[in-house]
Amino acid sequence: MSLLEIENLSLAIGDTPILKGIELSVAPAEVMGLVGESGSGKSMTALTLMRLLPHAARATGRVTFDGIDILAATEDQMCALRGDDIGMVFQEPMTALNPVKTIGEQVAEGIRWHTRVTRAAAEERARKMLDRVGLPPAKFPLSRYPHELSGGQRQRVVIAIACALKPKLLIADEPTTALDVVLQAQILDLLRDLVAENRMGLLLISHDLAVVTEMADRITILRHGEVMEAGDTARTLSEQLHPYTRQLAQASMHVPARARSHDASQRQPLLEVEGVTRDYPGRPTSLFKPAAPIRAVNDVSLSMQPGQSVALVGRSGCGKSTMARMILALDKPSSGTVRFRGETITGKTEAELKPARRDMQVVFQDPYGSFDPRQKVEKLVAEPLHVLEKKPTHAERREMVAHALHEVGLDQRDMDKYPHEFSGGQRQRLSIARAIITRPKLVVADEPVSALDVSIRAQILDLFAELNQKLGIAYLFITHDLTVARAISDEVLVMHDGKIVERGKTNEVLDHPQSEAAKALVAAAPDLHRAIARKMQEQG
Amino acid sequence: MTAYLLKRLAISLATLVLASIVVFAVLEILPGDPARLMLGMNASADQVELLRNQMGLNAPLLLRYLNWAGGLVSLDFGRSYTYSVPVMDLVRERLAVSLPLALIALALSTIIAIPVGLFSASRRGRAGDTISMGAAQLGVAVPNFWFALMLIYVFAVWLRLVPAGGFPGWSAGIWPALKSLLLPAVALALPQAAILARVTRSALIEVLNEDYIRTARAKGLPYRTVLWRHALRNAMIPVLTILGLQFAFLLAGTIIIENVFYLPGLGRLVFQAITQRDVIVVESVVMLLVAAVIAVNLVVDLSYAVVDPRLRSRQ
Amino acid sequence: MTLHVDIPEETLSGILAKAFRNTAFVTGFIITVLILVIAVISYLWTPYDVTRLVIADKTQGPSLAHWFGTDHFGRDILSMIMVGARNSIAVALVAVGIGMGVGVPLGAFAAARGGLVDEALMRVNDLVFAFPALLSAIMITAIFGPGAANAIIAIGIFNIPVFARVARAGALAIWPREFILAARASGKSSTQISIEHVLPNIATLLLVQGTIQFALGILAEAGLSYLGLGAQPPMPSWGRMLFDAQTRMVVAPWMAIFPGMAIVITVLGLNLLGDGIADILDPKSRRQR
């Protein structure tokens, strides 16, 4: 007997169909993985179960939870279910908690509401629950406010709220997407334990096939609001009967074809970073003592050869993005020097930097945020031409933009469009077009694919690889994702707490990590191959 | 927390000192010789000069500023040229009208606006919301002195419920005094209430779209409970900001409204003092009003810290 | 104060199509245009000459000959309102111009430079905000004498910190965006970035604030001329008309009603226009629909 049974669920918001004939079930103590790319309707499915949909949404079909017809239930009935029998965990831990209430109040609130116990009793339960999710009361008293906690800790609080009353069903909507791999592994472990302890059903929603494979007993694959394939996780993913399942799985494990690395150790290095440190002013602990500075980057040295592809990997907050900005001369090191093409760029004025800027470009993570929405593609892609000594004429400029667009697989007619007319993947192509238009020697890419769906990500990685071969551009990839590092880099540098703790050939480091930090990263990184193999083994 | 408090306090004091310099400088360049004005057009140049010396008007600029500022600090505001009484007495007398007026207006505006804002936000897009926000839109557009005239016409001239103007003084009893402040307070409060209601509504709606509201709903709390327990407090920050700004508005508003109702308040005092070039009175009253605005803004800053724990721990 | 700036991503035709479906915008736009047209017409033609006093016709109620009645000098109220519109609009508009022209560059500069420059500018802002605006306007007009020009200056000065604050808050929300970093990586100076990327992206915000300050300017001008500190007779102004009406409320209430309505309608129109613009260009409101 299933705990949750969804039959022929369709949903429309206004005139836009969102879900079409969804079938899905979750049994007690079962983990059901719901996988799909962005826009597939996974989050809407979750909100339908909670009846927390936007006003204009209309759902049809049948959703039965524990014998209750959810779509027909009154709001009072739903309030009784929510937080008591059905808990929910959301994607964004940074905003999921009320900033003006203590974590104790927020965990105890649901307990008091549903059980009508005294404040003291509810707080006692909240304390136990927080302890259970890994926030011991000695270190994390109930009086803490959300802003005093890190992202991973906040997600634990959200889980504590959702699981405080031992719900029969927990819905987790991308619970680890906003966290780095090490935190992700910890949160997934916690969820797995809670499921086992309370015989709770878990509906785990994720875009990440590897995560779902590691966690789920059964899996449902969603695309454009329709179920593509559903079934036992190990079998579904090993057999890959449905073409879309195969496409997703292959994209998740995609490694672009690249000729092996340039061995050019004799040549003059392209980039040399020597003993770079970056301090930020810290919070003063008292009025009269000067604040101890926060050291984001601590005595880092590295060097890159022309045409080489290097990945700088590490957990969030390890200082890798600060490092990238200093290399790009967008931030000034507190001490140490950065040399580019043999010239020191540290301490140069903007005018003196122009020649270096020509040879050094950047691609950012967010394909939505990295373009000025008020300008047309022509102007946006041409922006780096600003650093050329001889300003190109209008016709020349259009010619160069057209060429760059062609190189990244876009049409030259696209140059008269605005950025919002492109999809996420196309925008990342535009980003790359902008980065290569001056024919740079080095492109620094800060998490360039982490905001993209897997199939798009595979295409963008291919494009990076192709341009590396064709134009001989050296890459510095800043990433927390070891799959990306493995796919695209020759060498990897592992950063931890502002320091580089390990460096070497990519395969060697990722297969045989030596430092603690690298080992933790490798162990925590979800890997589809490994996950399928483990599932098969478990089932014999 | 302490650092935040001290910083705000220091900024407020600095602003106050700068403001005093500005006020003093502005009135220095104000045309018209106070001594000449006091003595009238027929006075001889010698008489005027004598009075200027007596009044300390011929002392060096810096000395005069320090004297004046020192006086302000010790609440000795000097003597009015035109009324020939200590400015402090004048201020005390007038404040007894203006302060109750501003406070009643502020209270009225808050009492009306916050429930209307809440009501509107919780009924977003429905008829109740449309009607109350339409009324608020109209309220914002009404000049308070015109509104005052209309109130006088309806309640004083036509219905004869309240006096059309004037102030009997608190000695005439609390009720008659309050009655004569009622229309002015309503005239001051309604346009401000309209603004505040709009701000409350939009702040609430903004907060209601936050992720943590969904978290609270997922706990099983009904919508109304979520509105009260989670949304309202977060929405208070912009509302407090506007309340602080409105205090300055209300103070300035009293200048016009007191003129409309012939109320012997601070606003009317300062307006008359300006036209009569009674510099000492203008300086003192303006500084008093500015100090009040700065103090209220300081209180608003501190109340942010009460509402928002993030500010409390920020240094 | 932090500010969230959402950047609309739409084409002009899409925006126009949405504008015409927005009731607030359409109403506000029609009212505003109507008032502007009336002000322009008043230069060419008014029902009666507003400078000629016809004592025989004094304080007459609304009639076919005088739609809105006449004042205590026998002047036609409708004609005076038409001419008064000119004055109100001119004062408020120029005051907005002063506020934007000085305030926006200051705010954008403060946001671009940060540090001490920013701090100093914000302290000056605090200082100006500490003075109740109307009180200071009275002082300014007292120093320079009453009149429309001085009313403009008095109101304009108080628009400066408002626009500086809005521009700064908007610019601060734009600066951390990645497209700004990308522009910096292309070697553009902070002035270039402010002009090319920041200002176009906060234009909506400034436009909305502009309509608000325009409306407030109309109210402030009315207040000043009510106190006798704005435009001087014989130039008609709405505030002055209300002052004249006050002592004659019992015998000639129309003298107060119609000029007041003119103010209310004008301010309402401008506020609706501002609301409409904000609504149309704010992607958040679109999401909730």
Side-chain angles (χ1 to χ4, degrees):
Chain A
M1 166 67 195
S2 329
L3 179 65
L4 174 76
E5 187 84 51
I6 301 178
E7 294 157 88
N8 194 25
L9 172 67
S10 294
L11 177 78
I13 295 182
D15 299 328
T16 320
I18 306 290
L19 300 174
K20 288 163 240 161
I22 302 284
E23 306 273 336
L24 191 151
S25 69
V26 183
E30 183 189 41
V31 180
M32 164 55 97
L34 185 59
V35 188
E37 298 192 302
S38 49
S40 59
K42 355 180 249 301
S43 292
M44 282 298 163
T45 310
L47 291 177
T48 310
L49 303 183
M50 292 296 270
R51 285 268 307 275
L52 289 175
L53 288 165
H55 284 303
R58 293 283 164 273
T60 58
R62 206 177 156 73
V63 178
T64 321
F65 169 78
D66 208 16
I68 301 166
D69 183 350
I70 293 274
L71 295 184
T74 63
E75 181 59 22
D76 284 347
Q77 283 175 302
M78 281 317 295
C79 283
L81 283 181
R82 287 185 206 125
D84 194 1
D85 292 332
I86 311 178
M88 185 158 178
V89 176
F90 304 95
Q91 172 172 355
E92 205 29 87
M94 299 314 272
T95 53
L97 293 172
N98 188 338
V100 304
K101 285 181 173 265
T102 63
I103 59 172
E105 282 175 88
Q106 298 190 55
V107 178
E109 187 176 30
I111 301 173
R112 288 193 73 193
W113 182 263
H114 287 288
T115 61
R116 306 280 164 197
V117 294
T118 61
R119 176 182 298 266
E123 280 177 355
E124 190 45 43
R125 270 187 88 164
R127 207 170 282 125
K128 276 194 189 126
M129 195 61 218
L130 283 169
D131 191 28
R132 175 62 199 89
V133 297
L135 301 173
K139 256 185 91 185
F140 301 94
L142 297 184
S143 56
R144 285 292 188 99
Y145 283 98
H147 71 272
E148 297 168 311
L149 306 180
S150 70
Q153 290 162 351
R154 289 190 210 189
Q155 195 64 311
R156 288 175 191 271
V157 176
V158 175
I159 292 173
I161 292 174
C163 296
L165 292 165
K166 303 207 182 331
K168 293 174 181 147
L169 175 69
L170 181 67
I171 303 169
D173 187 1
E174 303 269 13
T176 58
T177 306
L179 306 174
D180 71 33
V181 282
V182 177
L183 288 174
Q184 163 164 290
Q186 292 169 2
I187 295 290
L188 293 177
D189 277 344
L190 173 63
L191 287 175
R192 199 182 285 125
D193 292 349
L194 288 170
V195 165
E197 264 167 44
N198 304 331
R199 283 190 54 76
M200 184 169 73
L202 172 63
L203 179 63
L204 178 68
I205 297 172
S206 178
H207 70 287
D208 190 331
L209 208 51
V211 164
V212 171
T213 309
E214 277 184 8
M215 294 285 294
D217 305 311
R218 288 190 303 131
I219 179 172
T220 301
I221 295 172
L222 216 56
R223 185 194 201 188
H224 303 322
E226 283 178 275
V227 175
M228 292 288 113
E229 193 175 3
D232 177 78
T233 307
R235 205 175 54 236
T236 308
L237 289 177
S238 55
E239 291 172 1
Q240 297 179 8
L241 290 176
H242 195 284
Y244 183 65
T245 308
R246 190 155 58 243
Q247 188 192 324
L248 266 186
Q250 281 172 356
S252 308
M253 299 182 283
H254 182 77
V255 174
R258 298 168 67 228
R260 268 303 117 194
S261 65
H262 306 249
D263 188 40
S265 44
Q266 285 83 7
R267 274 194 281 166
Q268 191 203 14
L270 178 68
L271 175 75
E272 291 169 281
V273 173
E274 265 175 37
V276 161
T277 294
R278 179 69 170 99
D279 292 334
Y280 287 108
R283 258 189 202 175
T285 41
S286 99
L287 260 179
F288 308 103
K289 252 187 287 172
I294 295 163
R295 186 149 287 189
V297 172
N298 188 358
D299 191 22
V300 166
S301 301
L302 60 92
S303 91
M304 279 179 70
Q305 300 299 322
Q308 199 186 19
S309 177
V310 175
L312 183 59
V313 301
R315 299 182 54 181
S316 53
C318 72
K320 53 191 196 301
S321 287
T322 310
M323 195 59 234
R325 287 184 186 200
M326 288 191 291
I327 290 171
L328 288 163
L330 296 174
D331 192 359
K332 291 189 178 68
S334 306
S335 64
T337 50
V338 177
R339 269 199 299 280
F340 183 61
R341 301 173 318 186
E343 285 168 47
T344 304
I345 57 170
T346 313
K348 288 267 181 72
T349 66
E350 206 47 56
E352 293 167 331
L353 279 173
K354 270 196 178 181
R357 293 238 184 265
R358 202 153 45 224
D359 283 344
M360 185 162 71
Q361 286 295 326
V362 59
V363 174
F364 291 108
Q365 168 178 4
D366 180 6
Y368 295 91
S370 54
F371 290 104
D372 183 341
R374 299 255 183 237
Q375 294 191 344
K376 285 187 176 166
V377 164
E378 179 193 343
K379 220 170 162 199
L380 291 168
V381 171
E383 190 157 45
L385 296 177
H386 175 73
V387 292
L388 296 189
E389 263 156 42
K390 196 172 111 340
K391 290 272 176 292
T393 63
H394 183 67
E396 280 169 352
R397 199 173 76 167
R398 280 186 77 86
E399 179 57 33
M400 290 168 93
V401 172
H403 188 65
L405 288 178
H406 178 74
E407 274 173 327
V408 298
L410 291 173
D411 194 300
Q412 55 168 304
R413 276 167 299 183
D414 287 338
M415 79 171 90
D416 294 316
K417 290 187 185 163
Y418 285 93
H420 70 268
E421 296 173 66
F422 296 88
S423 67
Q426 285 174 321
R427 288 198 215 204
Q428 210 54 314
R429 286 178 192 270
L430 287 177
S431 264
I432 297 170
R434 173 171 63 187
I436 61 170
I437 196 167
T438 56
R439 289 285 173 269
K441 306 266 189 309
L442 170 69
V443 167
V444 177
D446 192 352
E447 302 277 10
V449 294
S450 56
L452 303 175
D453 279 325
V454 281
S455 51
I456 309 293
R457 164 194 299 222
Q459 293 166 13
I460 297 293
L461 287 176
D462 278 344
L463 176 63
F464 271 115
E466 182 198 324
L467 292 173
N468 174 243
Q469 299 297 311
K470 212 167 79 183
L471 306 176
I473 301 173
Y475 292 131
L476 180 61
F477 278 96
I478 314 288
T479 181
H480 73 282
D481 186 340
L482 297 188
T483 348
V484 173
R486 195 186 285 276
I488 197 81
S489 67
D490 311 320
E491 251 190 60
V492 62
L493 305 166
V494 180
M495 204 161 168
H496 185 70
D497 282 347
K499 285 188 173 156
I500 290 190
V501 292
E502 191 166 346
R503 60 184 90 204
K505 293 254 176 289
T506 302
N507 284 337
E508 282 168 25
V509 173
L510 297 190
D511 293 341
H512 308 285
Q514 302 298 314
S515 62
E516 283 308 312
K519 280 181 189 161
L521 272 177
V522 171
D527 182 296
L528 189 55
H529 274 302
R530 232 171 30 196
I532 297 176
R534 199 180 309 144
K535 276 275 153 166
M536 300 289 279
Q537 214 173 25
E538 278 168 22
Q539 294 169 3
Chain B
M1 175 75 178
T2 0
Y4 172 79
L5 286 183
L6 287 178
K7 192 186 169 205
R8 298 312 315 171
L9 199 63
I11 288 175
S12 299
L13 282 177
T15 313
L16 198 58
V17 171
L18 279 176
S20 73
I21 294 172
V22 171
V23 168
F24 187 76
V26 164
L27 290 166
E28 274 303 307
I29 52 173
L30 194 70
D33 183 345
R36 162 73 62 192
L37 279 167
M38 277 177 79
L39 293 170
M41 284 302 139
N42 301 326
S44 72
D46 285 351
Q47 283 173 305
V48 171
E49 196 50 33
L50 194 68
L51 187 64
R52 283 184 64 84
N53 273 328
Q54 276 175 7
M55 290 166 72
L57 289 174
N58 289 335
L61 196 66
L62 185 66
L63 194 65
R64 270 187 293 144
Y65 169 72
L66 288 177
N67 265 337
W68 171 68
L72 285 184
V73 173
S74 57
L75 289 180
D76 169 17
F77 293 169
R79 285 179 80 86
S80 158
Y81 304 152
T82 43
Y83 296 87
S84 297
V85 288
V87 175
M88 193 59 211
D89 293 352
L90 271 179
V91 165
R92 198 179 292 129
E93 189 187 309
R94 301 303 185 97
L95 209 53
V97 178
S98 292
L99 195 61
L101 177 58
L103 289 179
I104 296 172
L106 196 65
L108 262 181
S109 131
T110 315
I111 290 167
I112 299 168
I114 307 253
V116 170
L118 255 169
F119 170 83
S120 245
S122 65
R123 249 160 257 260
R124 182 154 199 247
R126 288 194 251 162
D129 177 28
T130 314
I131 293 168
S132 42
M133 281 306 112
Q137 187 69 266
L138 198 65
V140 175
V142 173
N144 56 20
F145 59 95
W146 180 68
F147 186 53
L149 290 180
M150 295 296 113
L151 286 176
I152 292 176
Y153 188 67
V154 174
F155 291 99
V157 176
W158 194 31
L159 298 175
R160 296 180 183 282
L161 287 175
V162 280
F167 185 69
W170 291 101
S171 53
I174 292 200
W175 177 236
L178 271 183
K179 218 162 105 175
S180 61
L181 289 183
L182 197 62
L183 281 194
V186 171
L188 271 175
L190 270 194
Q192 299 302 310
I195 296 174
L196 200 60
R198 280 165 57 90
V199 171
T200 308
R201 173 181 180 269
S202 60
L204 271 170
I205 285 176
E206 177 127 10
V207 169
L208 285 171
N209 283 323
E210 295 281 351
D211 282 355
Y212 55 78
I213 296 297
R214 199 177 49 187
T215 308
R217 296 270 282 139
K219 272 182 219 174
L221 304 184
Y223 188 74
R224 211 146 282 244
T225 315
V226 172
L227 191 73
W228 280 101
R229 286 205 203 155
H230 289 268
L232 194 58
R233 192 158 152 204
N234 279 289
M236 278 329 282
I237 290 173
V239 173
L240 281 172
T241 310
I242 297 298
L243 264 179
L245 286 177
Q246 288 205 336
F247 188 72
F249 249 89
L250 283 175
L251 282 179
T254 56
I255 300 177
I256 290 192
I257 289 297
E258 286 172 4
N259 266 302
V260 176
F261 288 93
Y262 304 106
L263 291 178
L266 268 190
R268 204 162 149 76
L269 175 69
V270 72
F271 181 63
Q272 285 166 345
I274 288 174
T275 45
Q276 291 161 347
R277 298 291 184 269
D278 194 343
V279 177
I280 292 271
V281 172
V282 177
E283 280 173 339
S284 312
V285 178
V286 169
M287 275 318 293
L288 199 69
L289 294 180
V290 168
V293 171
I294 292 175
V296 167
N297 283 334
L298 185 64
V299 171
V300 167
D301 275 346
L302 301 189
S303 56
Y304 287 161
V306 174
V307 173
D308 191 343
R310 286 166 294 186
L311 271 179
R312 253 176 274 161
S313 61
R314 189 184 300 162
Q315 298 287 327
Chain C
M1 197 164 74
T2 57
L3 181 75
H4 184 77
V5 179
D6 266 307
I7 301 173
E9 300 182 335
E10 263 176 298
T11 51
L12 192 64
S13 57
I15 290 174
L16 283 180
K18 239 169 55 189
F20 285 106
R21 270 181 276 123
N22 187 302
T23 338
F25 177 83
V26 173
T27 323
F29 186 76
I30 291 174
I31 294 177
T32 308
V33 168
L34 207 69
I35 302 285
L36 287 175
V37 167
I38 287 174
V40 170
I41 289 178
S42 79
Y43 280 101
L44 309 170
W45 173 83
T46 50
Y48 294 85
D49 182 355
V50 294
T51 52
R52 251 191 50 214
L53 316 179
V54 186
I55 302 300
D57 286 345
K58 71 173 187 169
T59 49
Q60 288 185 355
S63 64
L64 272 181
H66 298 279
W67 288 7
F68 292 173
T70 62
D71 75 352
H72 54 297
F73 292 125
R75 291 177 295 183
D76 178 49
I77 302 238
L78 174 61
S79 307
M80 289 176 77
I81 288 177
M82 287 175 71
V83 178
R86 226 195 264 174
N87 177 59
S88 283
I89 290 169
V91 170
L93 202 60
V94 178
V96 168
I98 292 174
M100 271 198 181
V102 183
V104 172
L106 276 180
F109 181 68
R113 291 297 291 272
L116 274 178
V117 177
D118 188 24
E119 189 73 15
L121 197 86
M122 284 305 107
R123 293 292 78 82
V124 174
N125 251 352
D126 282 352
L127 180 63
V128 182
F129 274 118
F131 288 86
L134 186 68
L135 178 64
S136 318
I138 291 172
M139 280 172 56
I140 289 171
T141 42
I143 296 170
F144 298 107
N150 292 334
I152 290 175
I153 295 171
I155 299 169
I157 285 179
F158 286 88
N159 279 337
I160 295 173
V162 174
F163 281 104
R165 199 174 256 206
V166 171
R168 173 179 176 272
L172 282 180
I174 300 290
W175 270 95
R177 302 275 176 107
E178 284 188 337
F179 66 79
I180 300 285
L181 267 183
R184 285 179 59 204
S186 300
K188 294 212 163 147
S189 69
S190 61
T191 317
Q192 267 173 314
I193 291 175
S194 288
I195 293 169
E196 284 178 31
H197 293 293
V198 176
L199 285 181
N201 279 301
I202 60 171
T204 318
L205 215 57
L206 297 174
L207 187 65
V208 171
Q209 195 64 42
T211 63
I212 294 172
Q213 293 311 118
F214 193 174
L216 287 177
I218 300 242
L219 287 175
E221 194 279 333
L224 281 180
S225 48
Y226 171 79
L227 292 175
L229 299 170
Q232 293 299 299
M235 177 71 179
S237 72
W238 294 346
R240 186 81 206 171
M241 290 168 79
L242 288 177
F243 177 77
D244 290 336
Q246 188 177 347
T247 47
R248 301 174 179 85
M249 278 291 285
V250 184
V251 287
W254 57 88
M255 278 178 67
I257 291 172
F258 293 110
M261 301 264 281
I263 299 173
V264 173
I265 290 172
T266 309
V267 173
L268 187 66
L270 284 167
N271 282 338
L272 284 173
L273 186 66
D275 271 15
I277 296 172
D279 224 24
I280 294 161
L281 298 177
D282 180 6
K284 260 187 286 179
S285 64
R286 182 177 43 198
R287 242 178 280 140
Q288 289 150 6
R289 196 164 300 155

